[in-house]
């Protein structure tokens, strides 16, 4: 039997790290097993589902290069793959359960259910949830209620005794007393919409899903789902609940920790290769050592056995490190193309960069490549080259523990040295700049830092002499002279 797995998100928000990891694990498993990866949109909650979230789902998977074999947009033999297009089907199956005596209609009004809940809370009753009032209605009572035209929901008859067990590939057997399962949960609402549980189980069965890989937060729903499979007389699939993704503080990864939506990562300039690689290492490992995998390699080597049982910790720094590695694997030409949109956004170059603009970017790329952690870093690194930088403030020109007169002297001595750029070798110039530090008995940084701030407006810039070469001697000298004036005015 060939493996069929699915990613079944609810389009209620932007795709985030946790969801995407679930998608990737399903996708890799399908590829490694030569099976099928199915995308199913679980939009039964019509109030919370949005077209933007659905579009974000498609965009995210496309950006990552995760192609689905069956699902919306591509079709397949088990469609439709969007739950809101399958409502009739859920109704049919719910009715079938009623006819088979596995489910029943409940006519309780929301007033009655509210009062019940209130009473249970007040009495601190051990019995929480629905009291199964309608489970034992006899035929006469039921038809009387029907005749009144009362709205009804369909509830599952959860067995009143016994236990339910499901097997999880990672966690082993998970058993729950049936009396601990939500008493007779609603399967079909009075408006004819299914609940998540009903739609999810029916679809997994009808779509021939063999393995369910989903977040561990769904474990509590496991017994209920098994009871549903039993009620239908269906064989449940295999379960593999995936450990949570945590922040470094041990809390479930959330916005508190930083960006979690994939589109934010994309906007900052993370590469899909890096995100795929790192996210896959959160909760899965090959041999505990190897850290680099392309998507294609993961499609070969992924296996359920290597998923960690413990929660994975998402480390933003580590992702940044991966991203830097993948950036440096790009050719200078590729990187130039990838950086242009960021420079356009920053207003440094025109939407359709001219040849000279592109040439300038291409010349910048080799000197910043080593320092880029995310593509968006280019904006701060390129500002000095494309924008008029503001006159630096005195404090910004001063290295730690270095006074104004000393810093002024540094810049005055630097000026004639820098003018020689191009006519003597860089090493010679660097040595002469370092000699200023010796002469004035200050740190080397006490020389380089003020030059950098004067010329680039920033303490972090590409290598100094390279930057000046790109900027042009005239502009560099003018900026240096401006800084000298600023310091002179301060001394005077
Ligand atoms: Zn009822």
């Amino acid at each position: 039997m060939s493996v069929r797995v699915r990613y079944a998100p609810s389009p209620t928000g932007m795709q985030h790290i946790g969801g995407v990891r679930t998608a990737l694990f399903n996708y890799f498993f399908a590829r490694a097993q030569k099976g099928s990866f199915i995308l199913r949109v679980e939009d039964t909650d019509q109030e919370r589902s949005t077209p933007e979230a659905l579009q974000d789902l498609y965009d995210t998977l496309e950006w990552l290069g995760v192609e689905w074999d069956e699902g919306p947009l591509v079709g397949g033999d088990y469609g439709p793959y969007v739950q809101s297009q399958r409502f009739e089907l859920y109704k049919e199956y719910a009715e079938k359960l009623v006819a088979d005596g596995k489910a029943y209609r409940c006519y309780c009004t929301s007033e009655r259910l509210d009062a019940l809940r209130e009473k249970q809370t007040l009495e601190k009753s051990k019995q929480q949830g629905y009291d199964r009032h309608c489970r034992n209605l006899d035929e006469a009572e039921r038809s009387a209620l029907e005749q009144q035209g009362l709205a009804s929901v369909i509830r599952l008859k959860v067995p009143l005794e016994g236990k339910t067990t499901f097997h999880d590939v990672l966690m082993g057997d998970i058993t729950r007393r049936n009396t601990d399962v939500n008493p007779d949960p609603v399967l079909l609402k009075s408006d004819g919409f299914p609940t998540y549980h009903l739609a999810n189980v029916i679809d997994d069965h009808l779509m021939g899903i063999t393995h369910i890989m989903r977040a561990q937060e769904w474990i509590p729903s496991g017994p209920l789902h098994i009871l549903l499979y039993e009620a239908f007389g269906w064989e449940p699939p295999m379960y593999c609940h995936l450990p949570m993704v945590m922040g470094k503080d041990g809390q479930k990864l959330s916005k508190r920790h930083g960006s979690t939506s994939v589109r934010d990562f994309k906007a900052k300039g993370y590469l899909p290769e890096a995100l795929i690689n790192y996210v896959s290492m959160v909760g899965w490992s090959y041999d505990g050592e190897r850290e680099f995998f392309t998507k294609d390699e993961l499609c070969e080597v992924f296996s359920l056995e290597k998923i960690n049982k413990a929660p994975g910790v998402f480390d933003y720094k580590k992702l940044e490190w991966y991203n830097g590695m993948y950036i440096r694997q790009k050719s200078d030409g590729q990187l130039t193309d990838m950086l242009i949109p960021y420079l356009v956004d920053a207003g440094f170059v025109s939407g359709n960069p001219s040849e000279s603009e592109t040439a300038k970017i291409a010349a910048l790329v080799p000197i910043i490549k080593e320092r880029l952690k995310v593509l968006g870093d280019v904006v701060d690194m390129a500002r000095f080259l494309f924008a008029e930088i503001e006159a630096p403030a005195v404090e910004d020109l001063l290295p730690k523990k270095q006074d104004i007169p000393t810093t002024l002297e540094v810049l005055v001595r630097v000026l004639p040295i820098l003018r020689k750029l191009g006519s003597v070798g860089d090493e010679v110039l660097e040595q002469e700049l370092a000699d200023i530090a010796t002469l004035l008995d200050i740190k080397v940084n006490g020389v380089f830092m003020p030059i950098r701030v004067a010329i680039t407006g920033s303490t972090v810039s590409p290598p100094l002499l390279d930057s000046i070469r790109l900027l042009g001697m005239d502009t560099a000298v003018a900026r240096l002279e401006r800084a000298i004036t600023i310091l002179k005015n301060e001394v005077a």
Side-chain angles (χ1 to χ4, degrees), residues 123 126 164 196 226 235 256 284 288 298 318 361 382 475:
E123 293 173 356
K126 261 172 81 188
T164 299
Y196 154 74
I226 296 291
E235 193 64 38
R256 284 183 303 115
W284 179 87
L298 288 163
K318 188 82 196 237
I361 301 167
T475 313

Side-chain angles (χ1 to χ4, degrees), residues 97 156 187 197-198 201 223-233:
L97 287 185
L156 179 68
L187 302 178
H197 304 292
L198 181 71
V201 164
L224 172 58
H225 291 189
I226 296 291
L227 288 171
L228 262 170
Y229 281 102
E230 281 172 5
F232 281 118

Side-chain angles (χ1 to χ4, degrees), residues 76-95:
D77 293 343
Y78 300 80
Y81 294 88
V82 176
Q83 289 190 326
S84 56
Q85 293 166 19
R86 300 168 65 83
F87 282 167
E88 279 312 308
L89 197 88
Y90 308 130
K91 224 183 267 179
E92 228 172 82
Y93 277 90
E95 293 293 355

Side-chain angles (χ1 to χ4, degrees), residues 106-108 112 130 133-134 155:
C106 160
Y107 302 87
C108 294
R112 177 175 187 273
Y130 184 54
H133 176 262
C134 300
R155 292 181 181 273

Side-chain angles (χ1 to χ4, degrees), residues 133-148:
H133 176 262
C134 300
R135 181 163 172 154
N136 304 311
L137 295 177
D138 62 29
E139 243 347 286
E141 290 168 311
R142 203 183 326 273
S143 61
L145 290 164
E146 282 290 339
Q147 239 134 59
Q148 289 175 40

